[in-house]
Amino acid sequence: MGAPVSIRDVATRARVSVGTVSNVLNRPDLVAPATRERVLGAISELGFVRNDAARQLRSGTPRAIGLVVLDVGNPFFTDVARGVEDTASDAGHAVILCNSDDSAQREARHVELLAEQRVHGVLITPVDTDAPVRRLRSRGLSVVLLDHPTDNPDLCSVAVDDRAGGRLALSHLITEGYRRIVMINGPESLHQARERWRGAQDAAQTAGREVEEIRVPALNVATGQRVARALLDRDVRPDAVFCANDLVALGLLQVLVREGVRVPADMAVVGYDDIDFAAAAAVPLTSVRQPRELIGRTAASLVIEETMSPGEHEHRHVQFRPELIIRESSRRSL
């Protein structure tokens, strides 16, 4: 295989300067039509392929954005990433996906890698503190907080009102007549977990009721299975469980069904996120729906807008309202 065709080869074939070829590739309006056609003809004849990676490094304007999420195995973040990628692709940008796995150390490594790669901007759901955001901003990168609200006037954010979501879930269970309600919640360090618990407490206090919180270190199917076994071992079991996400709820449901627990007659279950698997569960799962792909599309639009027009960009804080989708796992009237 011969050496790749260079921009100099194209210039020689078209009988123009290397600068003229560069203008045809990057600023074609500066080149006379006849000359432009001659250069394009040479490009076609020689099979020249421009090296975008090298060009972007030279110009300092790479067409890539970073996306750092808490758990790429969670379908919620998969759908958010799909929204990000769709919008970025339409704008001619690639997406570099990084999974922090709820680890501040991994998050820090990803942040450094993205800065070294000179991405255009970064969308990030922080694990705990705002340290990664400060680090990215110190490198001159545009940052949008994803699924994480902020009142910082120097940042954009896209999130869902998780406190309202917690209220929706608990109010529904109380309205349906459940009295011994437990919430399986994530670590205190997660903003989403704190807000969903606050909303659950709001609803319980308004109704003059109490709700028990069980904190877990990870919000996944295995956690739901483990907590289900612990709840079944109690002398007095809860009659309803609100899970901080659908993965926990699906793990819980799996054990309850296998052990012959009637859902919702013996124990109701409500999840959060309304991932695709929720409606397809053995007992279709009631869940608090978030507009997952819309969150991703909105965040991507904001970071691309800021990087392309920094002088005109106005930082915005977008917050969507959640919606309760009621299914068989909690509705007593069925």
Side-chain angles (χ1 to χ4, degrees):
M1 182 180 296
V5 177
S6 70
I7 192 171
R8 190 173 298 280
D9 296 328
V10 173
T12 299
R13 175 64 64 91
R15 302 186 305 283
V16 297
S17 68
V18 170
T20 298
V21 177
S22 179
N23 281 338
V24 169
L25 294 171
N26 299 296
R27 293 172 294 176
D29 54 302
L30 299 181
V31 183
T35 303
R36 186 167 63 239
E37 288 303 315
R38 194 162 72 248
V39 171
L40 291 175
I43 288 173
S44 178
E45 292 171 15
L46 296 174
F48 170 75
V49 178
R50 67 193 296 175
N51 186 341
D52 273 346
R55 179 179 59 84
Q56 290 162 14
L57 285 174
R58 287 193 300 272
S59 66
T61 56
R63 294 188 177 184
I65 58 176
L67 172 60
V68 185
V69 300
L70 295 175
D71 180 9
V72 76
N74 185 334
F76 167 79
F77 286 112
T78 303
D79 290 342
V80 169
R82 182 179 294 114
V84 171
E85 202 281 330
D86 285 347
T87 296
S89 178
D90 289 344
H93 287 66
V95 177
I96 301 174
L97 175 61
C98 302
N99 177 37
S100 69
D101 202 25
D102 289 338
S103 165
Q105 291 73 29
R106 288 189 63 172
E107 178 184 71
R109 290 198 299 271
H110 290 317
V111 164
E112 285 303 312
L113 173 64
L114 292 172
E116 291 170 2
Q117 293 296 314
R118 304 175 70 185
V119 296
H120 241 160
V122 176
L123 311 176
I124 185 170
T125 307
V127 171
D128 188 0
T129 69
D130 62 353
V133 175
R134 293 198 306 270
R135 192 174 300 117
L136 289 165
R137 298 285 288 180
S138 71
R139 298 288 191 93
L141 293 174
S142 302
V143 180
V144 173
L145 290 180
L146 181 67
D147 192 35
H148 192 99
T150 182
D151 55 5
N152 187 334
D154 297 323
L155 288 174
C156 285
S157 66
V158 181
V160 172
D161 188 342
D162 282 308
R163 187 169 183 173
R167 283 195 298 267
L168 284 173
L170 256 290
S171 296
H172 164 67
L173 290 172
I174 291 169
T175 299
E176 288 291 317
Y178 300 102
R179 304 195 65 82
R180 300 184 305 280
I181 304 173
V182 168
M183 179 178 180
I184 305 174
N185 202 12
E188 174 68 21
S189 60
L190 286 181
H191 168 86
Q192 297 88 336
R194 294 195 304 271
E195 288 300 293
R196 291 169 196 178
W197 172 238
R198 289 176 66 192
Q201 288 179 304
D202 290 344
Q205 291 170 2
T206 297
R209 304 278 289 281
E210 293 185 357
V211 56
E212 175 189 353
E213 183 188 30
I214 299 176
R215 287 276 181 185
V216 295
L219 295 172
N220 52 39
V221 171
T223 293
Q225 294 169 334
R226 185 178 68 255
V227 176
R229 297 185 189 99
L231 294 178
L232 293 179
D233 285 341
R234 291 185 176 186
D235 293 334
V236 179
R237 299 173 177 175
D239 60 0
V241 181
F242 167 39
C243 301
N245 77 5
D246 285 346
L247 295 182
V248 174
L250 292 171
L252 181 79
L253 269 176
Q254 186 182 64
V255 172
L256 297 182
V257 171
R258 186 168 62 237
E259 296 299 322
V261 177
R262 297 174 301 164
V263 180
D266 298 329
M267 192 181 299
V269 181
V270 173
Y272 203 107
D273 290 336
D274 195 35
I275 62 176
D276 291 341
F277 299 119
V283 180
L285 179 66
T286 294
S287 186
V288 179
R289 175 178 291 172
Q290 303 193 78
R292 304 177 301 278
E293 291 192 30
L294 179 58
I295 291 170
R297 291 197 298 270
T298 304
S301 295
L302 288 173
V303 78
I304 291 170
E305 176 187 299
E306 181 177 357
T307 58
M308 300 303 289
S309 304
E312 303 172 8
H313 177 75
E314 294 183 3
H315 293 299
R316 298 191 291 281
H317 301 144
V318 181
Q319 188 175 66
F320 296 107
R321 296 285 297 182
E323 176 186 7
L324 183 68
I325 306 301
I326 302 173
R327 301 190 180 96
E328 287 88 333
S329 70
S330 67
R331 190 161 49 192
R332 275 182 160 163
S333 57
L334 292 175

